[in-house]
Amino acid sequence: MEELNIMKNIKEQVQMTLQEIIEEMERRKQKIREEMGGEKAVKRQHEKGKLTARERVELLFDEGTFEEMGTLAYQLGSDPKKTPADGMIAGYGKINGRGACVAAYDFTVIAGSMGPSGEKKVTRMREWALKHRIPIIWLIDSAGARIQNSAGSSFAATGGLFFEQVIMSGVVPQVCAVMGPGFAGTAYVPALADFTPMVKGTSFLGLGGPPLVKAAIGEDISEQELGGSKIHCEISGVGDLEVQDDAACIEKVREYLSYLPQNNQDLPPVIKTSDPIDRSCDKLNELIPTAMNTPFDIIKLIEEIVDDGKFFEIKPRWARNMVTGFARIGGHSIGIVANQPKWLGGTIDVNASDKAARFINICNAFNVPILYLVDTPAFMIGSAVEKAGIIRHGAKFLHATASATVPKFTIVVRKAFGAGYYVMNGRAYEPDLFLAYPHAQISLMGAEGAVNIVYRKEIANAEEPEARRQELIQEYKDRISVDLVAGAADVDDVINPADTRRILASALERTRGKQVERPWRKIGVVPV
């Protein structure tokens, strides 16, 4: 019946002028753009506190720059009116004046499920992003695969979308904003993307939704408890940022891309700043405690040294003993990896290792310099973390730091002990600038721990054990003083913290053209 109607329309168009045909086509396109899945479906979307896919796309791109592709697509074999654009809005435009592609799932059309025509459009977006070396953004609000189209033997031919994502990895920035459900197929897209913000209360990721989980394993659970933004941004680590609403999510996508180049062969843009590069950071001298075990907030240090105090933190509520994120110094983009003394004293555990390694790899892929702010008593020890694989996860962190060839800068803020010193870009890991603050300590371990192990018998036999222990601790501290490291020329400089911004701004400018030659290899074997 559908084919007969199409033939009838063609015959009718023969009698029409070209101008009339064009007007009819534009009318159909406009109807699809305005109505989407219908008035009721749009209303339900808004009642849930969500924008429609088209409203999201409008916010994403610079005004007047978006060009849609495949507006007239629909699910073949069905009524075109029931699957307008086949539930997928695809096209390209400009974000902050630079090109990007988008694939936005329209939940008002069959719950944003992945239809055959819609996925062809997404494939075109991936092709364009790779060929033209521009970022690609997915806006996820989808029930996943359209089961009626892929449950049969045709499923054997699917899966290319993930393969192509992997091929694009490290070539162009990939962003996946989760703004509704992302079931099954659309759950893997964010996992393979570089940046995955999630909207609080409305976003969800899961290999199976609550009905499937109930049917398969008998567990009765809500969407948010199973895979909501809190789960993935605080516990699983899949999500990178939890935001309040769709508009905030889109703004974070735009901001994230502003720190990156268009592709792996470009350098990040340099932005004009009114914040003087030689501004003295005097607050740091009051902020940083001299006592090694006194906690303080490393983010306050970061905000003091970067342009306008602006820090774009990645995964702020997951593995909080490690801080990662983007900022600018003197207008130059920089990635920051910092131990957080406020959480676990800055000790490095399994999740902190994974968080840092992934962020370092993203910076390295897209030519973003990295600043390491070191304040760690080393890796966590004990049976629990050994069973969790602290060795292999720590090795992953080590591998990322050693592999990074972008400009790397290290500042030992206070303590840099054990293998924590290595993974945080110690002297052997080719930092382009290796600095320390005047009260810093670098050693296999802290004075208290070393004395308790090395001198335990001497302390036990002393007339006054505690007094002797304190004497030995002070002697040990003198032996790990940064003055001795500086004397051996194993640190480039010991600096006044107030000068941090000025020194880093100069380093960023002079290392912008850095090139490193390494032995050829197909790929490094990254620890699991």
Side-chain angles (χ1 to χ4, degrees), residues 98 129-136 165-174 194 257 259-269 361-369 405-407 512 514-515:
R98 301 187 297 166
L130 191 57
K131 286 180 181 178
H132 305 296
R133 298 296 195 266
I134 58 176
I136 182 169
Q165 256 194 282
V166 173
I167 298 303
M168 287 194 295
S169 179
V171 179
V172 297
Q174 299 183 63
D194 306 325
L257 289 173
Y259 291 102
L260 301 178
Q262 291 290 82
N263 55 66
N264 62 351
Q265 294 180 319
D266 288 346
L267 293 174
N361 288 336
I362 290 172
C363 290
N364 193 39
F366 295 111
N367 305 313
V368 179
T405 58
V406 294
R512 188 166 170 82
K514 178 184 177 182
Q515 294 184 359

Side-chain angles (χ1 to χ4, degrees), residues 72-113:
L72 297 175
Y74 64 96
Q75 181 178 307
L76 297 180
S78 68
D79 184 349
K81 294 180 182 178
K82 293 184 178 180
T83 56
D86 203 27
M88 163 56 64
I89 299 159
Y92 58 88
K94 291 185 177 181
I95 298 175
N96 299 317
R98 301 187 297 166
C101 292
V102 72
Y105 290 90
D106 183 357
F107 198 80
T108 70
V109 178
I110 317 183
S113 54

Side-chain angles (χ1 to χ4, degrees), residues 47-81:
E47 286 174 347
K48 292 177 181 178
K50 300 194 294 183
L51 299 176
T52 65
R54 294 189 178 278
E55 289 168 336
R56 292 164 178 163
V57 169
E58 185 177 354
L59 285 176
L60 177 64
F61 291 101
D62 299 347
E63 186 175 356
T65 66
F66 178 64
E67 297 184 46
E68 184 177 356
M69 298 291 108
T71 310
L72 297 175
Y74 64 96
Q75 181 178 307
L76 297 180
S78 68
D79 184 349
K81 294 180 182 178

Side-chain angles (χ1 to χ4, degrees), residues 445-467:
M445 62 176 63
E448 289 83 356
V451 166
N452 288 341
I453 294 172
V454 176
Y455 299 104
R456 64 182 183 278
K457 290 184 178 179
E458 181 178 338
I459 293 172
N461 294 329
E463 291 184 9
E464 297 182 26
E466 181 56 27

Side-chain angles (χ1 to χ4, degrees), residues 54-362:
R54 294 189 178 278
E55 289 168 336
R56 292 164 178 163
V57 169
E58 185 177 354
L59 285 176
L60 177 64
F61 291 101
D62 299 347
E63 186 175 356
T65 66
F66 178 64
E67 297 184 46
E68 184 177 356
M69 298 291 108
T71 310
L72 297 175
Y74 64 96
Q75 181 178 307
L76 297 180
S78 68
D79 184 349
K81 294 180 182 178
K82 293 184 178 180
T83 56
D86 203 27
M88 163 56 64
I89 299 159
Y92 58 88
K94 291 185 177 181
I95 298 175
N96 299 317
R98 301 187 297 166
C101 292
V102 72
Y105 290 90
D106 183 357
F107 198 80
T108 70
V109 178
I110 317 183
S113 54
M114 304 164 74
S117 296
E119 287 309 296
K120 285 182 181 179
K121 294 195 289 182
V122 182
T123 298
R124 288 291 283 168
M125 294 304 101
R126 291 194 298 268
E127 289 175 352
W128 286 356
L130 191 57
K131 286 180 181 178
H132 305 296
R133 298 296 195 266
I134 58 176
I136 182 169
I137 301 105
W138 287 265
L139 304 181
I140 298 293
D141 193 358
S142 168
R146 198 171 292 171
I147 297 176
Q148 56 267 41
N149 296 118
S150 56
S153 60
S154 61
F155 181 75
T158 65
L161 69 164
F162 306 130
F163 173 82
E164 291 167 9
Q165 256 194 282
V166 173
I167 298 303
M168 287 194 295
S169 179
V171 179
V172 297
Q174 299 183 63
V175 173
C176 186
V178 185
M179 312 180 81
F183 292 103
T186 45
Y188 279 111
V189 175
L192 290 169
D194 306 325
F195 177 56
T196 300
M198 299 182 70
V199 178
K200 184 177 182 179
T202 58
S203 63
F204 163 86
L205 288 174
L207 298 185
L212 179 59
V213 170
K214 176 69 173 177
I217 63 173
E219 183 180 7
D220 195 358
I221 192 169
S222 71
E223 281 191 358
Q224 289 301 310
E225 291 172 323
L226 180 62
S229 58
K230 182 178 178 65
I231 297 298
H232 288 305
C233 291
E234 296 185 22
I235 300 174
S236 78
V238 173
D240 288 311
L241 196 63
E242 186 181 48
V243 296
Q244 289 299 314
D245 55 34
D246 285 8
C249 189
I250 293 295
E251 183 55 38
K252 290 299 181 182
V253 171
R254 289 175 58 90
E255 186 178 353
Y256 172 84
L257 289 173
S258 74
Y259 291 102
L260 301 178
Q262 291 290 82
N263 55 66
N264 62 351
Q265 294 180 319
D266 288 346
L267 293 174
V270 179
I271 307 299
K272 288 185 178 180
T273 178
S274 58
D275 194 347
I277 62 173
D278 59 351
R279 171 173 56 80
S280 181
C281 303
D282 297 312
K283 291 181 181 179
L284 298 187
N285 295 337
E286 298 177 2
L287 172 68
I288 305 168
T290 55
M292 293 293 138
N293 296 326
T294 302
F296 78 101
D297 190 352
I298 199 73
I299 291 178
K300 291 183 178 180
L301 186 157
I302 293 169
E303 291 173 341
E304 177 65 15
I305 66 176
V306 301
D307 290 354
D308 304 308
K310 193 172 184 180
F311 179 51
F312 189 94
E313 192 173 358
I314 302 293
K315 298 186 187 297
R317 301 189 67 81
W318 183 69
R320 299 176 77 170
N321 45 326
M322 183 68 68
V323 173
T324 58
F326 295 103
R328 292 187 179 88
I329 296 179
H332 293 264
S333 290
I334 189 166
I336 298 175
V337 177
N339 307 115
Q340 175 56 287
K342 275 183 61 176
W343 292 90
L344 301 177
T347 305
I348 303 169
D349 60 4
V350 166
N351 287 344
S353 297
D354 287 356
K355 176 178 178 177
R358 176 167 172 77
F359 182 75
I360 291 164
N361 288 336
I362 290 172

